Amino acid sequence: MPELPEVETVANGVDQRVRGDVIESVWLGSKPEPFKTGAAEMADALTGRRIERVYRVGKHIVFDLSVDEGGEPQWIVHLGMTGRLLVSAASVALPAHTHAILRLASGREVRFVDPRRFGRLAIQWRAAESGFQGTGREPLTISIEEFTKLFRGRKTSIKAALLNQKLLQGVGNIYADESLFRAGIRPTRRAGRLTREQSGRLHGAVQEVLKHAIQLGGSSVSDYVDADGVKGFFQLEHRVYLRGGEPCLVCGTAIRRMVLGGRGTHYCPTCQK
DNA sequence: CATTTCACCTGGTGGC
DNA sequence: TGCCACCAGGTGAAAT
């Protein structure tokens, strides 16, 4: 489900609701644990801490927690495809597939819900000043020059390169397709073969699409919701994603669907060269 | 290394 | 209504 705009929306919503709250107790589901860190270590690191701040890094949600003599932990949440992070009153019924609950001093709960269990939870101990940085560059702040440099010499498709979180972190399947459409570039184009001008257009398109999507609260394709359970609206702005066979909104040509790097890929054969 | 393929899961949808 | 094939926002391990 969640790419940069959805993760940003969720992180901001959670931050508004739980910043300053204290984690009184923790429940972690059993069986196939969607955890990187062991459950015992995680519960131990979280219990008793104050939530200082919640924010997004790439597609990760980062909880900065209060410091004590044991160190300064960060709780890292990755939503995978279907993960949700909800803030609810304890009295609200638990959704199916709830894997983690943080019970807060305010009486509310942070709940991690994830049917497909592709999501991941982890504790990261902050080293020196840095903290969790993610795997690649942030698409919203990277310069055109740095952006262009990312793709230099790469033989893979530009679509696969956009999805590579070690290069740019936060762009996923929807926003890769939508950005390439707006930049007029075929998803199959070799990443290292983009002209300077195309690379500049793509940089602009990626930032524009992501910012617009954040303003609209992300894309709700099937079940994505923010921390309050509210849907986003950017799906109404999709020009190619999931529109295979339908007419291009610019030129009327049928949008084509193909599989690239194992992902459904949508583009206009006329508008994208 | 860079790149590609596939497994990991559950649930919704559309065809028959 | 039921069954089945196929598709879905992501990633990391394994193979090439």
Side-chain angles (χ1 to χ4, degrees):
Chain A
M1 155 215 317
E3 305 179 33
L4 187 151
E6 293 76 35
V7 177
E8 172 104 5
T9 302
V10 171
N12 288 343
V14 171
D15 182 64
Q16 280 176 25
R17 287 161 188 79
V18 307
R19 184 191 281 234
D21 219 328
V22 172
I23 302 165
E24 290 197 326
S25 64
V26 175
W27 175 86
L28 298 169
S30 53
K31 287 298 167 198
E33 302 177 351
F35 310 135
K36 267 184 187 162
T37 315
E41 186 199 336
M42 184 173 307
D44 196 51
L46 292 171
T47 304
R49 306 261 178 188
R50 189 175 57 248
I51 298 168
E52 307 286 15
R53 189 162 85 93
V54 184
Y55 53 99
R56 176 196 64 77
V57 173
K59 292 178 191 170
H60 300 265
I61 298 166
V62 179
F63 286 65
D64 276 356
L65 302 169
S66 52
V67 192
D68 68 8
E69 47 305 334
E72 187 174 358
Q74 295 177 300
W75 192 41
I76 313 295
V77 177
H78 193 294
L79 299 175
M81 292 269 267
T82 54
R84 295 156 64 164
L85 201 56
L86 302 170
V87 179
S88 326
S91 54
V92 174
L94 279 187
H97 309 292
T98 298
H99 303 299
I101 302 172
L102 310 189
R103 302 189 187 93
L104 306 176
S106 63
R108 289 176 303 179
E109 297 180 344
V110 174
R111 296 166 172 181
F112 175 66
V113 179
D114 183 15
R116 279 174 84 176
R117 305 208 303 265
F118 288 172
R120 290 291 177 267
L121 307 176
I123 292 292
Q124 179 98 173
W125 293 93
R126 187 187 273 269
E129 57 337 296
S130 62
F132 183 79
Q133 295 295 315
T135 52
R137 307 295 307 274
E138 277 292 332
L140 289 179
T141 51
I142 190 170
S143 68
I144 292 193
E145 293 71 31
E146 293 285 302
F147 183 86
T148 302
K149 215 185 285 175
L150 290 179
F151 305 121
R152 200 167 291 164
R154 302 208 168 254
K155 293 211 220 55
T156 189
S157 66
I158 184 61
K159 162 96 186 241
L162 283 175
L163 292 180
N164 183 345
Q165 303 294 298
K166 292 193 173 122
L167 300 178
L168 275 188
Q169 55 179 2
V171 176
N173 208 32
I174 295 177
Y175 299 104
D177 280 5
E178 293 297 320
S179 299
L180 287 167
F181 174 78
R182 284 160 174 80
I185 301 166
R186 289 265 174 124
T188 47
R189 196 62 181 283
R190 302 296 90 177
R193 286 279 180 81
L194 291 191
T195 65
R196 269 197 93 66
E197 201 230 328
Q198 285 180 317
S199 179
R201 282 213 310 270
L202 185 55
H203 173 266
V206 166
Q207 293 198 343
E208 220 173 280
V209 164
L210 293 176
K211 284 180 192 162
H212 189 192
I214 290 169
Q215 283 173 2
L216 296 185
S219 301
S220 292
V221 172
S222 61
D223 59 358
Y224 158 76
V225 288
D226 70 12
D228 269 342
V230 177
K231 290 183 180 237
F233 291 96
F234 192 76
Q235 66 279 11
L236 303 175
E237 304 289 324
H238 294 175
R239 299 193 192 159
V240 289
Y241 182 71
L242 250 32
R243 293 195 66 243
E246 293 175 40
C248 172
L249 299 173
V250 172
C251 74
T253 308
I255 298 299
R256 214 163 276 172
R257 178 185 187 280
M258 67 180 299
V259 175
L260 225 188
R263 317 302 304 280
T265 297
H266 317 77
Y267 68 98
C268 172
T270 302
C271 296
Q272 294 174 258
K273 308 291 182 193

